Amino acid sequence: ETGVTQTPRHLVMGMTNKKSLKCEQHLGHNAMYWYKQSAKKPLELMFVYNFKEQTENNSVPSRFSPECPNSSHLFLHLHTLQPEDSALYLCASSQDRTLFGEEQYFGPGTRLTVT
Amino acid sequence: QKEVEQNSGPLSVPEGAIASLNCTYSDRGSQSFFWYRQYSGKSPELIMFIYSNGDKEDGRFTAQLNKASQYVSLLIRDSQPSDSATYLCAVHTGGGNKLTFGTGTQLKVEL
């Protein structure tokens, strides 16, 4: 495996379900991110982890719960979601070597549909 | 005011022409600027990044940055149908590694 991988690629869940999204990066990076992409809206940053520590929570509802056990793996736990949470969820990673922003590499995304 | 603004398009150019994509940003302290390409149903793919005022060229792509005017642009020379995609501008704002994305410009290269 190379780059950033995400599983599952597609997920349909009911509002009462609990599911998890998984992201793994094979780039040796130290920062990982969750983004939400909805139609006609800019990419929306949800969470940032640097060296396994959460450094950004962009006012995300508590029904989204991130977990970062190590610098290579990132999870997004989902529970009691709403239909408006249906979107493409993207994971990204970066080296985290500069204070001035650096390029991020994206995984293929998970297309989530909440019914 | 949006932090990062792009014309949503679609921008249509004939094959072989130069496509010019523009982006303006509001944070005067921004230091790093990125262009991503996103094909329909796919994830964003990094094309280029630029930190300094002026031009940066990579193959058919040229990024241009003007910090005084707070805009960054992407030129695509000899446009090909395979360049048809949505182009996202991303700007580093504030501290840490946070990137703020524009809504993207849809480019259509027509035969």
Side-chain angles (χ1 to χ4, degrees):
Chain A
E1 294 276 14
T2 58
V4 182
T5 59
Q6 289 186 244
T7 56
R9 296 293 305 278
H10 299 272
L11 178 63
V12 179
M13 60 185 289
M15 289 191 286
T16 58
N17 291 158
K18 289 185 180 180
K19 296 286 184 184
S20 295
L21 309 184
K22 178 183 176 182
C23 174
E24 184 173 0
Q25 59 93 3
H26 309 267
L27 300 169
H29 289 167
N30 297 308
M32 297 188 76
Y33 312 78
W34 280 118
Y35 286 90
K36 175 183 179 182
Q37 188 174 37
S38 304
K40 307 297 184 186
K41 292 185 179 179
L43 273 169
E44 181 183 338
L45 179 66
M46 300 175 73
F47 302 102
V48 181
Y49 278 83
N50 296 92
F51 294 92
K52 302 189 300 178
E53 299 298 320
Q54 187 181 122
T55 54
E56 181 102 17
N57 177 337
N58 203 23
S59 301
V60 181
S62 60
R63 57 185 182 271
F64 295 91
S65 175
E67 178 190 359
C68 188
N70 54 61
S71 293
S72 299
H73 294 86
L74 185 63
F75 296 89
L76 188 63
H77 304 299
L78 315 171
H79 63 98
T80 59
L81 294 191
Q82 304 298 311
E84 59 265 29
D85 297 322
S86 298
L88 180 68
Y89 288 84
L90 291 160
C91 174
S93 70
S94 69
Q95 185 65 43
D96 189 28
R97 62 179 183 272
T98 173
L99 294 175
F100 302 111
E102 57 188 6
E103 60 274 27
Q104 297 177 14
Y105 296 89
F106 287 85
T110 295
R111 174 68 62 185
L112 173 67
T113 302
V114 180
T115 61
Chain B
Q1 183 186 5
K2 293 180 183 176
E3 293 185 66
V4 179
E5 290 208 49
Q6 295 181 257
N7 189 319
S8 60
L11 171 67
S12 294
V13 299
E15 184 178 7
I18 296 175
S20 178
L21 305 161
N22 299 313
C23 171
T24 58
Y25 59 93
S26 61
D27 184 353
R28 191 168 281 279
S30 298
Q31 301 268 4
S32 312
F33 308 84
F34 305 85
W35 283 101
Y36 286 84
R37 176 177 62 200
Q38 187 172 24
Y39 292 113
S40 179
K42 302 293 186 183
S43 61
E45 171 192 12
L46 181 69
I47 299 175
M48 292 188 69
F49 56 87
I50 186 167
Y51 299 147
S52 304
N53 273 330
D55 295 359
K56 179 182 179 183
E57 188 174 317
D58 183 0
R60 295 187 297 112
F61 299 96
T62 299
Q64 299 176 317
L65 175 61
N66 184 324
K67 289 186 179 180
S69 299
Q70 295 176 241
Y71 83 78
V72 56
S73 60
L74 179 70
L75 301 179
I76 306 175
R77 289 182 299 283
D78 188 24
S79 296
Q80 301 297 309
S82 58
D83 294 326
S84 298
T86 296
Y87 289 80
L88 306 176
C89 172
V91 177
H92 175 250
T93 54
N97 278 320
K98 180 179 178 179
L99 295 184
T100 300
F101 285 80
T103 53
T105 298
Q106 185 184 5
L107 173 67
K108 293 185 176 180
V109 180
E110 298 167 334
L111 295 170

